[in-house]
Amino acid sequence: MRHLFALSLVLMGCGDNLGDGAGTEDLGDLGGAVEDNGVVGKLMPQVCAARSWSEVQTASKDVDLTVVPTANGAAVLHVPRTGGLLGGFLLDGQGLIIGDPAGTQIMDGKWTDVSASVSDGRLVVGLTDGTATTISILRDDLGDHRKLTTTGGALLGDAVVMTARETRFTATGGTSGMLKTTFDSGWTATDTEVFSRTVPTGMTSAAYGDDGMIAWSTTTSCHLQRLSSGIASTQDFACKGARLATSYADREGELVWQGGDSVMLSNIRASAHNEIANVKILATEGTSPRVVFDGERFWVSYLNKLGELVVGYLDDNDNLVSTRVDLRPLPGAHELVMMDGTLWAFAFDAETGFGASRLCLVRE
């Protein structure tokens, strides 16, 4: 299980050339309770640096955004939510653009949604046009791409290609149900099968050890399945707009989703009777949740009722310890990722363009 005071050093490294790290301290290895004159200090998230990339060009002011950690930094990819070409740009570990400050036009099309992840060292992108999903490998500099396949279904998870028992696969959803497409060692699509006949309204995915964990919502139910093991769980509530993060070492994960006007949390417990273990309100009057695991704790972001981005971590009681970030993205235009060992919140604002804030933990 995660420990509230097991603080990773990289999250405290805020006194660099990105901005002023005043107020942060290097807490070292806090594997147990840490006392200061008999008082245990509480760790609070804080923005310790910021970047902006206003020169990057987009075809629309309303974009769908995904950010993928890479070996050297991150790839930021975007498409117009009304349909258009795939664009993107690369960042180094300090958040500086690599290459053209205006970004790169990567792939023509009428794409409305984008997801991407790294698999076997390859940057793999999934693009939907409202009717089908196209999976492609992008060149490291974003200058070219290789199409792998087009699958039925216009829904795609966040982990585009996962590996289960040495087999690469992608999962998509559509009117025929939930589909699994496999790839051989040369990245050729070899087979597509239906693994659930339930018709999804949304889906999310994450790697889970040597397996892939898929969660999806229907109009009335929430589903979770580990594809390699075949273990499936269902709850009788819809988990709209869900995002999933996992910790294989702890055999757990967190599913965040939209329930009415609130952000909801469901703990994922592998090998439990029902792996969607429970449900609770995480934040009232919130939308568009995201979740990521940093190796010690789960972090969640969402938009509050004012449209401000809120970022925080789950404590040992699954309460969100959070702070507001000076970013006001549209619902599809923000992501929470680990880049070069540190936590970043990325966003696209129609007024100011692309920006990101780096989060640190401070003791209060």
Side-chain angles (χ1 to χ4, degrees):
M1 298 293 291
R2 58 190 180 276
H3 302 283
L4 175 58
F5 296 107
L7 181 65
S8 172
L9 291 177
V10 295
L11 287 178
M12 300 305 302
C14 300
D16 57 17
N17 61 357
L18 291 179
D20 184 7
T24 66
E25 54 178 320
D26 186 347
L27 300 181
D29 183 5
L30 305 181
V34 176
E35 297 187 0
D36 181 7
N37 296 325
V39 178
V40 177
K42 186 173 184 179
L43 300 176
M44 296 296 295
Q46 174 180 293
V47 174
C48 59
R51 287 288 191 203
S52 62
W53 308 281
S54 58
E55 293 181 336
V56 175
Q57 301 296 307
T58 62
S60 170
K61 295 297 184 180
D62 185 7
V63 305
D64 186 58
L65 170 70
T66 191
V67 182
V68 188
T70 63
N72 301 314
V76 183
L77 305 175
H78 54 88
V79 298
R81 288 164 64 88
T82 55
L85 62 83
L86 171 67
F89 56 98
L90 296 173
L91 300 173
D92 66 15
Q94 296 298 306
L96 298 174
I97 284 187
I98 301 170
D100 190 341
T104 302
Q105 295 184 1
I106 303 170
M107 191 184 311
D108 289 331
K110 293 293 184 181
W111 315 116
T112 58
D113 296 275
V114 57
S115 293
S117 57
V118 173
S119 178
D120 294 333
R122 303 292 187 93
L123 179 56
V124 186
V125 63
L127 295 159
T128 65
D129 60 6
T131 59
T133 299
T134 296
I135 310 296
S136 302
I137 292 177
L138 301 184
R139 201 168 72 189
D140 289 348
D141 64 357
L142 306 183
D144 201 359
H145 66 277
R146 171 190 168 192
K147 178 181 174 181
L148 300 180
T149 189
T150 296
T151 70
L155 297 177
L156 180 66
D158 314 293
V160 177
V161 173
M162 294 160 280
T163 302
R165 298 177 183 175
E166 300 184 352
T167 300
R168 301 187 187 104
F169 69 90
T170 189
T172 55
T175 56
S176 60
M178 297 297 298
L179 307 175
K180 173 185 176 182
T181 300
T182 57
F183 301 90
D184 64 17
S185 60
W187 288 92
T188 298
T190 58
D191 182 54
T192 298
E193 61 180 277
V194 177
F195 65 88
S196 173
R197 292 291 180 184
T198 54
V199 178
T201 58
M203 65 173 290
T204 183
S205 57
Y208 181 74
D210 191 26
D211 203 346
M213 192 175 282
I214 316 297
W216 68 96
S217 181
T218 71
T219 56
T220 59
S221 57
C222 186
H223 300 258
L224 180 79
Q225 184 161 333
R226 288 190 276 141
L227 288 188
S228 180
S229 65
I231 296 174
S233 302
T234 304
Q235 291 281 13
D236 60 355
F237 51 77
C239 47
K240 178 183 177 182
R243 288 295 186 97
L244 175 67
T246 64
S247 170
Y248 181 67
D250 296 320
R251 300 185 61 77
E252 66 178 12
E254 303 294 348
L255 185 72
V256 294
W257 45 280
Q258 187 75 33
D261 61 355
S262 297
V263 174
M264 312 298 291
L265 173 73
S266 291
N267 301 130
I268 305 301
R269 300 292 181 257
S271 301
H273 175 68
N274 190 325
E275 295 193 346
I276 309 174
N278 51 21
V279 60
K280 66 172 287 185
I281 296 175
L282 189 62
T284 58
E285 297 185 305
T287 60
S288 305
R290 309 286 191 259
V291 62
V292 68
F293 183 63
D294 72 357
E296 295 286 347
R297 55 184 59 79
F298 288 93
W299 291 79
V300 175
S301 64
Y302 67 93
L303 302 182
N304 66 16
K305 64 179 181 180
L306 299 177
E308 300 166 321
L309 189 62
V310 177
V311 181
Y313 70 89
L314 299 178
D315 68 14
D316 283 350
N317 296 313
D318 286 335
N319 296 313
L320 187 63
V321 183
S322 63
T323 187
R324 287 180 295 176
V325 177
D326 189 21
L327 296 169
R328 292 174 176 266
L330 292 173
H334 67 99
E335 288 293 341
L336 194 62
V337 301
M338 295 297 296
M339 182 176 74
D340 196 33
T342 58
L343 183 75
W344 291 76
F346 285 81
F348 177 81
D349 184 300
E351 298 296 325
T352 60
F354 290 96
S357 293
R358 183 179 177 185
L359 280 295
C360 298
L361 286 174
V362 299
R363 188 195 297 279
E364 287 197 345

